[in-house]
């Protein structure tokens, strides 16, 4: 069985600051959109600098869900909908010890799966979806997780965000899985003005430099989880504070 992958501590992007001299004001590569007199989107050069710093601080960011293979990753992400990664990680080790393949999950049955994940919100619906998607994988894909986002989205309990996570982590595609953290950070940083997850995803796919695209959504998730928090962003320890266009920055305590 493959070793479970996780990042036990918050990513170092949470508190790292770039070393050396302060970064000078970057010359725009193209004119930014403006609203009145306030610029509302980062320039191409500034976007590059944002992700350069994220990469410098944490070159190989990891998702925080526990999993042992593409199938258990898929199940973990399905279980994480409207729940925290930490909460899911409390339930899944016992589940995955018993069932690390769709065949084993079906052998467990819905009642046993439901009992094992009952600490997770919406556990009844999620247990039903886990069994249903496992059945589909056995019946139509030989028990393997398909490496196609459109196909993944047809599985029970799998939406676009879940499919993007699986495509990124399991298959190495530079997808942008937009959760609440990515949505918030992308708008605050002025990487996007999207009002829906799909719009933010499209903007990120367009503006993130290709060399940083594979890990971009991990950096944004971790930054939102540990620094750019919803209620009180910790702007004083943000490594891109000087670039971010968010007007209501929180002062140091």
């Amino acid at each position: 069985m493959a070793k479970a992958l996780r990042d036990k501590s918050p990513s170092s992007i949470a508190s790292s600051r770039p070393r050396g001299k302060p970064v000078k004001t970057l010359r725009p590569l193209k004119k930014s959109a403006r609203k009145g007199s306030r610029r509302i989107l980062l320039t191409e050069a500034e976007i590059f600098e944002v992700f350069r710093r994220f990469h410098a601080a944490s070159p190989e960011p990891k998702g925080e869900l526990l999993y042992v293979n593409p199938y258990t990753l898929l199940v973990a992400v399905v279980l994480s909908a409207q729940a925290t990664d930490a909460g899911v990680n409390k339930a899944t080790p016992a589940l995955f010890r018993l069932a690390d393949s769709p065949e084993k999950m079906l052998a467990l049955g819905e009642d046993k799966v439901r009992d094992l994940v009952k600490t997770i919100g919406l556990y009844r619906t999620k247990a039903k979806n886990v069994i249903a998607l496992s059945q589909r994988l056995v019946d139509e894909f030989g028990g393997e997780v398909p490496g196609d986002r459109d196909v993944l989205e047809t599985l029970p309990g799998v939406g676009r965000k879940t499919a993007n996570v699986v495509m990124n982590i399991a298959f190495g595609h530079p997808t942008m899985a937009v959760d609440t953290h990515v949505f918030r950070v992308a708008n605050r940083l002025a990487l996007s003005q999207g009002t829906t997850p799909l719009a933010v995803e499209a903007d990120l796919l367009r503006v993130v430099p290709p060399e940083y695209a594979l890990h971009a959504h991990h950096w944004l998730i971790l930054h939102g989880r540990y620094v750019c928090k919803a209620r009180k962003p910790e702007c004083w320890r943000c490594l891109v504070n000087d670039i971010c266009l968010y007007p209501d920055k929180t002062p140091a305590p």
Side-chain angles (χ1 to χ4, degrees):
M1 184 179 293
K3 185 179 179 181
L5 300 178
R6 66 171 172 174
D7 187 354
K8 293 183 179 180
S9 61
S11 168
S12 59
I13 71 170
S15 58
S16 298
R17 294 288 302 178
R19 297 179 179 179
K21 297 180 180 180
V23 175
K24 297 180 180 180
T25 302
L26 297 166
R27 184 174 61 184
L29 298 185
K30 57 185 178 181
K31 188 176 181 180
S32 302
R34 293 178 178 273
K35 182 177 181 181
S37 60
R38 187 172 73 85
R39 186 156 55 88
I40 57 176
L41 289 175
L42 294 184
T43 67
E44 186 175 334
E46 288 168 332
I47 292 170
F48 186 91
E49 179 64 11
V50 165
F51 288 99
R52 187 200 66 77
R53 292 186 193 180
F54 283 156
H55 175 267
S58 180
E60 296 289 335
K62 304 293 183 183
E64 295 184 321
L65 284 173
L66 295 173
Y67 68 96
V68 294
N69 55 33
Y71 170 70
T72 54
L73 172 65
L74 174 61
V75 171
V77 182
V78 167
L79 293 174
S80 72
Q82 300 181 55
T84 65
D85 288 1
V88 172
N89 287 343
K90 291 178 181 179
T92 52
L95 176 64
F96 295 156
R97 279 195 296 270
L98 297 173
D100 61 356
S101 71
E103 294 86 357
K104 292 178 182 179
M105 196 69 74
L106 292 173
L108 275 185
E110 186 177 332
D111 289 347
K112 181 63 174 178
V113 173
R114 185 169 59 242
D115 185 58
L116 288 166
V117 302
K118 64 184 178 182
T119 58
I120 302 172
L122 305 175
Y123 69 94
R124 290 184 176 86
T125 298
K126 291 177 180 179
K128 182 177 181 179
N129 285 335
V130 167
I131 291 297
L133 73 83
S134 298
Q135 190 69 61
R136 283 278 308 281
L137 292 179
V138 170
D139 291 346
E140 300 178 28
F141 304 101
E144 299 294 326
V145 176
D148 183 292
R149 183 173 60 190
D150 292 337
V151 175
L152 285 170
E153 287 189 66
T154 70
L155 297 175
V158 178
R160 188 173 184 87
K161 185 195 77 172
T162 296
N164 276 335
V165 171
V166 173
M167 291 300 294
N168 180 270
I169 297 177
F171 299 106
H173 289 264
T175 55
M176 299 293 169
V178 180
D179 67 354
T180 56
H181 297 301
V182 174
F183 185 87
R184 179 176 67 256
V185 173
N187 273 275
R188 281 182 177 171
L189 269 177
L191 298 171
S192 171
Q193 290 181 285
T195 58
T196 66
L198 189 60
V200 170
E201 178 186 338
D203 284 344
L204 292 175
L205 288 171
R206 178 176 54 82
V207 305
V208 173
E211 57 266 55
Y212 298 126
L214 180 62
H215 295 312
H217 93 272
H218 286 303
W219 286 317
L220 295 173
I221 287 170
L222 293 169
H223 192 63
R225 184 171 291 164
Y226 297 113
V227 179
C228 196
K229 302 174 183 179
R231 293 186 179 181
K232 190 176 181 181
E234 298 179 5
C235 303
W236 65 91
R237 64 188 191 94
C238 170
L239 78 168
V240 293
N241 184 304
D242 57 314
I243 300 174
C244 175
L245 298 181
Y246 184 57
D248 301 318
K249 291 185 173 66
T250 307

